[in-house]
Each structure stands twice: as C-alpha cells, then as structure tokens.
Amino acid sequence: SQTIHQWPATLVQPVGSPLSLECTVEGTSNPNLYWYRQAAGRGLQLLFYSVGIGQISSEVPQNLSASRPQDRQFILSSKKLLLSDSGFYLCAWSVGVSAEAFFGQGTRLTVV
Amino acid sequence: AQSVSQHNHHVILSEAASLELGCNYSYGGTVNLFWYVQYPGQHLQLLLKYFSGDPLVKGIKGFEAEFIKSKFSFNLRKPSVQWSDTAEYFCAVFTSGTYKYIFGTGTRLKVLA
C-alpha cells in the first residue's frame, strides 16, 4: 500500500537559519507531489507542486523553495528563515488526473 | 488563475439539522472536484469526488454534493447532521491541464448535541 512520510513533526528554528523539510512517498510511481501551508482561516495554501523529477512549479513567491531530486522525494527549503515562515506545512501526493490527495502528518515550524 | 471559494467559514447546527456548505471555483477548463474533511487532530480525508457523469455525487457518512457547471459550484449537503460531523470541511479543485490541486479556505462545522 502507499504511504507518505514527512519529517520532522515539529521544528523550532532561529531567524536566519536554513530549513529543510523532507517528504517521501512509498508504494507508487510518478506521483504528483505538493507542499501546502495550512493556517487557521486560510485553508491550505498551495506553495509548490511537481509532476516529475526536477519539475517544480511555484505558486507563491516567498522565502521558500522546493526540489524533487528523486521520483518519490520532495523537499521544502529555505536559505534564511523569517518569522513569517512559521506555520504548519503539509506534503501531499496524488496519482493520475482523477485520484484523491493523500497527506503527510505535517510539520509544525516555529521560527524564533 | 484558479481559485476556490468557500463562503461559510463557521457553521453551527443542532443535531438532525440539514447542512449545505457552499463551494465555488474559478477555472475555465475541465476540473475534478473534491470535498475533504478534517476531524480534530486528524489528517484530511476524502468525503467525495466528482470527475464526470452524474453531477450528484454521494460520498461517505451520508454526504453528497452537486456539481452545477453553469454556476461553477460544488456544494456539499447532508440531510441530517450528527455530533460526530463536527470538523473542518475543505473543497478542492484539481485541474488536469496544470496538475494544480487547489483547496478552499475551509468551513468549520460545529454540531451541537
């Protein structure tokens, strides 16, 4: 069966430090991969999505970037975190044009 | 640009009341439509989905939704809510042309016992 792993679950980082959140999917090939930020009252904001290795589409210009070095690996990064980067980040995958999205456990990032 | 609007941010109902949550999207092409639910402390899970065919879609736990193409709407309904339906509900749109998966801002439903 397919599973998605996202880590870490919680992270506290100082302002100006780098960030790397990792997401891996098992049990499927060539998934569509997504990074979202979830905030109360704002729903799930799509940050990045990828339909294949090395293919990244950015939705919101900001202090973050994403990479997909392998088929089932999706990484969210920042070179220098800002206070405003604090939030709850979710990774998700779907397959094909008609499948549902499956979500990781999420990462609660606090920038101090 | 694609977008999804959910008009009701907070809804409070008594048990056995009927529910209708609005969802409108903006996109000129073909879309796949979804409703997800997030119970407190849990992951999002799929309630129902529409791809083609009958615009009235039935999902789990007695929920249904109707796709009205002319109104760009996909409203969620349930004839009689239960206390256990207390959760946050998200409408989502997937566009096969762009592979974007866009979610609405969510509706928090509280059902009073």
Side-chain angles (χ1 to χ4, degrees):
Chain A
S1 63
Q2 305 94 342
T3 57
I4 180 169
H5 302 282
Q6 183 182 343
W7 67 92
T10 59
L11 189 60
V12 180
Q13 291 283 96
V15 169
S17 64
L19 173 73
S20 181
L21 302 182
E22 189 163 342
C23 172
T24 59
V25 180
E26 296 178 356
T28 188
S29 296
N30 197 30
N32 302 322
L33 296 172
Y34 304 86
W35 278 110
Y36 294 91
R37 181 160 53 200
Q38 184 176 16
R42 297 186 61 184
L44 277 70
Q45 181 186 30
L46 179 62
L47 303 176
F48 301 94
Y49 64 101
S50 171
V51 299
I53 296 174
Q55 300 179 59
I56 308 295
S57 297
S58 173
E59 280 298 288
V60 183
Q62 55 195 333
N63 188 40
L64 300 170
S65 63
S67 61
R68 185 171 178 172
Q70 300 180 47
D71 181 45
R72 289 170 288 180
Q73 184 184 27
F74 205 25
I75 298 171
L76 182 68
S77 304
S78 174
K79 292 182 179 179
K80 289 185 178 182
L81 283 168
L82 306 172
L83 286 173
S84 57
D85 292 323
S86 294
F88 189 65
Y89 292 85
L90 281 167
C91 179
W93 69 272
S94 71
V95 173
V97 297
S98 59
E100 68 186 271
F102 296 92
F103 291 85
Q105 66 176 10
T107 297
R108 174 72 60 190
L109 171 66
T110 303
V111 183
V112 297
Chain B
Q2 299 155 242
S3 65
V4 178
S5 298
Q6 291 182 242
H7 313 299
N8 315 99
H9 298 295
H10 292 89
V11 174
I12 301 175
L13 295 173
S14 299
E15 274 194 314
S18 64
L19 170 72
E20 180 160 2
L21 302 182
C23 173
N24 287 89
Y25 68 93
S26 65
Y27 184 70
T30 302
V31 295
N32 298 332
L33 300 162
F34 305 81
W35 275 97
Y36 287 82
V37 61
Q38 187 173 32
Y39 297 102
Q42 296 187 26
H43 294 185
L44 279 85
Q45 58 183 276
L46 183 69
L47 268 182
L48 48 79
K49 56 187 178 183
Y50 170 82
F51 302 119
S52 62
D54 189 345
L56 184 60
V57 178
K58 294 191 184 301
I60 61 172
K61 303 185 180 184
F63 286 91
E64 64 178 33
E66 184 175 13
F67 171 50
I68 303 179
K69 190 174 182 179
S70 61
K71 295 185 178 180
F72 297 89
S73 69
F74 190 56
N75 292 354
L76 180 71
R77 299 194 292 251
K78 186 170 184 178
S80 176
V81 295
Q82 300 172 314
W83 177 81
S84 58
D85 293 323
T86 294
E88 190 162 15
Y89 294 81
F90 295 91
C91 182
V93 171
F94 178 86
T95 56
S96 56
T98 65
Y99 293 92
K100 286 185 185 180
Y101 219 126
I102 304 291
F103 285 76
T105 52
T107 297
R108 289 184 182 269
L109 171 66
K110 183 172 185 178
V111 180
L112 304 175

